[in-house]
Amino acid sequence: MSFKTDQESLRKWFLETKREFPWRKEITPYRVWISEVMLQQTRADVVVEYFNRWMRLFPTIQDLKKAPIETVLKAWEGLGYYSRARNIHKAAEILSETFPEDFHSLTAIKGIGPYTADALLSFAFQKKVIAVDANVDRVLSRYYASTDLKECKRRGEEELSSYRPFEIAEALIELGATICKKKADCALCPLAQGCQAYKGGVVDNFLSTKKRKEAQKVYKEVHLYEHKNLFGIRKKGEKELFRDLYLFEEEEISEKEFLALCKQGPFKMVTATATFYRFHLIANIKKLDAFKEDLEFFTLEECLKRPFSSGHRKILHQLASFLNT
Ligand code: SF4
């Protein structure tokens, strides 16, 4: 058996069992683009709500292009990696409703990386391309019993059917998400007949060829400066982490100081990951006698309308429940 023949079992399995997602209906390059960037952030079932809201707010690239960056970031809030939302907004300025249909022109656009370009070529333009995310990476490396990702992709694409190749490409993603997971359920797998790792009893040797860098832990005290029922926040500047997002003032502290503050209450620790950092945050209300010059002051309701980093958004919600109790 080879992938040439096995892929028809995979297609059959996919068409019978596939999950329904909004981006699998009404397929357009714009919808594929947005869904694929969102899917790089979190699980598909979580993306559904973000995707539907995004399409309500910005149904076309033209709508996205016209929207202020703050509205775009607010729609992205909670997904993390805000630079991706900023890049999408920037790319919307240069893209019309017509997307280029080749890898090099697509990846020349800031905000469209190699994976998203492959996804566009496969799902929107129905080319013989396999978009390799972490799930597909795991499936292919097990199927071919190889950790050479480039070679796995090349072999997969070479053997890919010319008939509706996008179904196979999407089926590989689905297989990795549902059956060929870290702990693989090979008894249910439509690729089992030709899978080299399964046949060789070495499935667990092929988890993923992509290595994750461990995030560095950072502990911070977040100061909720308050004066006349207004809260001080600051919009991050051009060269700062979390650019264009609002944050409360914060300062880095030691783990020991952090644990001591956690015991004091009334707020609870929140965690958030950004790029290579794992932030541990604990908030404190600090009443002021006058406004602080370097901050902008807003009511809680006004704060809630603005885009915050995911950690500070959790704190903002803690503050809202604290004030309402
Ligand atoms: S047989 Fe097992 S290891 Fe091979 S592709 Fe299927 S689930 Fe993955």
Side-chain angles (χ1 to χ4, degrees):
M1 295 296 276
S2 72
F3 190 58
K4 257 188 188 151
T5 42
D6 275 349
Q7 67 189 289
E8 290 314 318
S9 318
L10 177 66
R11 189 199 308 276
K12 189 169 175 289
W13 165 83
F14 176 62
L15 294 177
E16 283 167 0
T17 60
K18 69 176 178 178
R19 297 169 293 172
E20 291 301 331
F21 292 120
W23 51 89
R24 286 184 175 166
K25 297 176 199 148
E26 281 180 63
I27 296 169
T28 66
Y30 174 54
R31 288 169 66 87
V32 168
W33 176 37
I34 299 302
S35 62
E36 287 302 330
V37 181
M38 285 184 173
L39 286 162
Q40 287 166 48
Q41 312 287 124
T42 184
R43 297 193 323 269
D45 51 333
V46 179
V47 166
V48 172
E49 195 190 324
Y50 281 96
F51 180 80
N52 286 337
R53 191 174 58 224
W54 184 281
M55 288 301 156
R56 274 196 305 276
L57 287 169
F58 323 114
T60 65
I61 295 185
Q62 305 303 333
D63 297 309
L64 178 59
K65 198 157 85 176
K66 280 187 258 157
I69 183 66
E70 255 189 40
T71 314
V72 173
L73 292 174
K74 185 74 192 162
W76 197 263
E77 195 183 62
L79 278 173
Y81 289 96
Y82 289 85
S83 57
R84 290 189 176 157
R86 263 192 298 272
N87 287 339
I88 287 176
H89 190 238
K90 231 182 236 154
E93 281 171 22
I94 46 171
L95 278 167
S96 62
E97 293 294 341
T98 323
F99 279 63
E101 290 190 35
D102 68 277
F103 184 83
H104 292 292
S105 311
L106 282 168
T107 48
I109 300 167
K110 200 170 178 204
I112 300 189
Y115 171 78
T116 310
D118 278 346
L120 277 161
L121 293 174
S122 172
F123 309 136
F125 304 122
Q126 308 189 353
K127 308 257 188 209
K128 277 182 69 174
V129 168
I130 296 177
V132 182
D133 66 357
N135 283 331
V136 177
D137 174 17
R138 193 169 54 248
V139 175
L140 290 180
S141 65
R142 282 169 168 171
Y143 187 82
Y144 291 117
S146 163
T147 51
D148 184 341
L149 177 57
K150 264 194 184 159
E151 178 59 12
C152 289
K153 180 170 158 59
R154 190 198 61 74
R155 283 179 72 181
E157 286 176 349
E158 197 177 88
E159 297 184 314
L160 191 60
S161 164
S162 304
Y163 172 71
R164 297 170 75 84
F166 55 91
E167 280 177 354
I168 304 298
E170 192 142 26
L172 286 168
I173 294 178
E174 190 84 349
L175 190 76
T178 58
I179 289 183
C180 191
K181 296 192 281 194
K182 276 185 188 164
K183 194 170 172 353
D185 208 344
C186 302
L188 299 177
C189 181
L191 292 183
Q193 292 233 33
C195 178
Q196 298 299 312
Y198 181 46
K199 288 205 280 194
V202 288
V203 170
D204 291 341
N205 291 4
F206 298 94
L207 284 175
S208 176
T209 59
K210 289 182 180 169
K211 289 196 178 67
R212 273 173 189 266
K213 198 174 166 187
E214 201 168 311
Q216 184 192 331
K217 282 186 189 167
V218 178
Y219 298 92
K220 287 191 170 187
E221 180 179 3
V222 177
H223 305 299
L224 308 178
Y225 286 117
E226 189 236 304
H227 184 57
K228 297 184 173 174
N229 287 328
L230 301 175
F231 293 91
I233 55 178
R234 190 165 71 84
K235 189 175 179 176
K236 288 290 183 153
E238 184 80 6
K239 299 220 166 98
E240 294 179 284
L241 186 64
F242 304 122
R243 173 154 65 100
D244 293 329
L245 299 177
Y246 285 85
L247 270 79
F248 296 102
E249 284 292 83
E250 56 179 15
E251 72 178 294
E252 194 167 339
I253 54 177
S254 69
E255 184 179 4
K256 200 173 159 197
E257 290 169 312
F258 181 83
L259 294 173
L261 283 173
C262 287
K263 286 186 192 146
Q264 286 175 17
F267 296 106
K268 290 196 180 109
M269 170 188 91
V270 305
T271 55
T273 305
T275 325
F276 302 121
Y277 299 104
R278 180 78 177 148
F279 292 112
H280 292 65
L281 308 173
I282 185 73
N284 260 319
I285 295 185
K286 302 242 157 117
K287 290 201 181 276
L288 298 173
D289 296 329
F291 291 117
K292 252 174 139 279
E293 266 181 20
D294 49 344
L295 297 177
E296 290 180 85
F297 282 79
F298 298 102
T299 62
L300 180 68
E301 288 68 31
E302 286 166 338
C303 287
L304 286 163
K305 286 183 197 150
R306 289 176 157 70
F308 274 74
S309 73
S310 66
H312 283 234
R313 182 174 52 97
K314 290 179 195 166
I315 286 174
L316 184 60
H317 287 150
Q318 282 193 9
L319 176 64
S321 17
F322 174 71
L323 295 176
N324 290 328
T325 51

